[in-house]
Amino acid sequence: MIFAVELSICIMAWILTMSRMKTIHWQDVRKNGGIALHVWLMMVFFSITTVFLIKEFNDLFDAYTLNNLDRLIAYSSLLTGMTFGAMAAIETVGKPSDLTISRWLWRTLFATIIALVVIYSLFLSRLSNISSFVPQSLPEVLFMVITFALGILLSATVSRVYLTYLPSETAPIMRIRSILIIASTFIVCGYFIVKIIIAAGYFWPALASQGLIDLSWAFLISTVLLYFSFLLSNRMYAPLVVISRNIQSWRTFQDLRYIREGLLRLFPEVVLPVPEPSFWRFMLNPEYHLYRAVIAIMDGKTMLDDLLSEGALHSEPPLWEGDMLQEVEHMKQALQSISSSGDFWGIVSEYRKAGRSLAQVQPRVSVWERVKNGL
């Protein structure tokens, strides 16, 4: 089972890398700070790393090369790929001040790889092939801690760059991609932290529990899936954008419910009841249901404005008394500043704000509770 997963990850990584290579305009590859080249090199080194995830390949590789050379290549390629990814992030969405960080990251990478080569040459190459998740010698511990510490630094750098950039991004596809990148950096940080804890199991065996090893495996698979996700073509994100927009429309529809139900109680002869669709029915055609809701609200608002202009609150006999009068006051305050002119989505947004203000003075039913009720 594990072999099948590792082999699948490796094949998918190389397919994605080769397909991305075809989209690069090599004659202009150094334009825009070489972002496309940095991304592709990140993918190449990640793909190399996935080859060495396969234990059977590692055993074969070590049998015909030096002992534990697979560990040196895997760790070095992982850090190199992450560094190219950090460079691409800084060039794409980073600030000019982040360019200084990029230079320091390169220097740190070179120093780290030199340290790994030294540790490997003096110690790991003399050991028998490493097959345990938990290091069995101090050089192994140093080898792991140095690698994963730099991995945490690189992940934190990319996360900080994208967290700073995300609030200014308005394009739905780019926001989804940025969120996936941020999520992957947090998870890979968790992976590296768990691996360092496992490495400390050399000193305190209780830290090298099977539960932590399983957790590191779960972090690794999650990181790989997110990695594949944020490197997909923009066309693959279109369905996600539509679904996300429809879910947002559903929440808007629920906020409008407070206005619709209030106006229906006040003017049942004017405001037509809008059938409450189930969540799934709404998702098929959200614009239609929002349009019907807005039309019903506009009819009720027109009637309320006409009656208030004629002094209905002070008429004899009064049109509303008790709780109904209080509801009219709330409705008046919520709708008095809303204009029905402008584009449709602007009107929907204004009415949604009014619905939220009414929700503060009315008992609110959870959106997801209403989803369950509509199933």
Side-chain angles (χ1 to χ4, degrees), residues 24-66:
I24 297 177
H25 301 290
W26 291 100
Q27 65 274 19
D28 301 322
V29 74
R30 294 197 176 276
K31 290 185 178 180
N32 300 321
I35 295 173
L37 180 61
H38 286 159
V39 172
W40 186 72
L41 288 173
M42 174 195 72
M43 297 172 69
V44 169
F45 282 103
F46 177 79
S47 298
I48 294 172
T49 304
T50 62
V51 174
F52 291 95
L53 281 176
I54 305 173
K55 185 180 183 302
E56 287 76 7
F57 175 83
N58 290 343
D59 294 339
L60 183 64
F61 184 83
D62 282 341
Y64 291 95
T65 60
L66 300 176

Side-chain angles (χ1 to χ4, degrees), residues 50-253:
T50 62
V51 174
F52 291 95
L53 281 176
I54 305 173
K55 185 180 183 302
E56 287 76 7
F57 175 83
N58 290 343
D59 294 339
L60 183 64
F61 184 83
D62 282 341
Y64 291 95
T65 60
L66 300 176
N67 285 354
N68 301 313
L69 182 59
D70 63 302
R71 190 66 60 103
L72 176 63
I73 296 175
Y75 283 20
S76 299
S77 63
L78 173 64
L79 294 178
T80 303
M82 292 185 67
T83 303
F84 276 117
M87 297 305 106
I90 291 173
E91 292 288 349
T92 305
V93 301
K95 298 178 181 178
S97 59
D98 293 329
L99 295 176
T100 303
I101 299 176
S102 65
R103 289 192 290 270
W104 280 105
L105 289 179
W106 279 120
R107 295 169 186 171
T108 305
L109 174 67
F110 292 143
T112 301
I113 291 180
I114 291 173
L116 295 181
V117 170
V118 170
I119 295 172
Y120 172 79
S121 301
L122 296 179
F123 302 104
L124 297 191
S125 63
R126 304 174 189 273
L127 299 176
S128 59
N129 289 336
I130 299 173
S131 59
S132 173
F133 285 101
V134 184
Q136 303 299 311
S137 64
L138 185 59
E140 291 180 59
V141 175
L142 291 175
F143 200 81
M144 293 176 66
V145 170
I146 290 173
T147 301
F148 299 139
L150 180 55
I152 291 172
L153 175 63
L154 292 168
S155 301
T157 300
V158 175
S159 177
R160 185 189 67 83
V161 168
Y162 271 94
L163 283 171
T164 303
Y165 159 77
L166 184 61
S168 62
E169 179 57 69
T170 57
I173 291 179
M174 292 307 299
R175 283 188 64 85
I176 292 176
R177 191 188 298 275
S178 299
I179 291 171
L180 289 174
I181 292 174
I182 293 169
S184 68
T185 59
F186 275 97
I187 293 176
V188 79
C189 269
Y191 170 75
F192 290 139
I193 290 171
V194 171
K195 293 294 285 185
I196 289 176
I197 294 174
I198 293 173
Y202 173 76
F203 303 102
W204 300 283
L207 296 178
S209 66
Q210 185 61 43
L212 282 178
I213 293 173
D214 293 340
L215 180 61
S216 70
W217 178 254
F219 276 143
L220 176 62
I221 297 301
S222 300
T223 301
V224 170
L225 292 176
L226 287 171
Y227 168 83
F228 289 146
S229 298
F230 70 71
L231 286 175
L232 292 175
S233 168
N234 286 346
R235 288 176 296 181
M236 303 296 292
Y237 284 100
L240 293 177
V241 173
V242 172
I243 292 173
S244 175
R245 187 175 296 160
N246 288 355
I247 291 175
Q248 184 67 23
S249 296
W250 167 259
R251 293 171 178 166
T252 299
F253 186 78

Side-chain angles (χ1 to χ4, degrees), residues 288-309:
Y288 167 76
H289 295 289
L290 283 175
Y291 176 79
R292 293 194 61 182
V294 169
I295 291 299
I297 291 172
M298 291 176 69
D299 288 342
K301 181 177 181 297
T302 300
M303 176 62 73
L304 179 62
D305 290 342
D306 290 343
L307 291 176
L308 292 179
S309 65

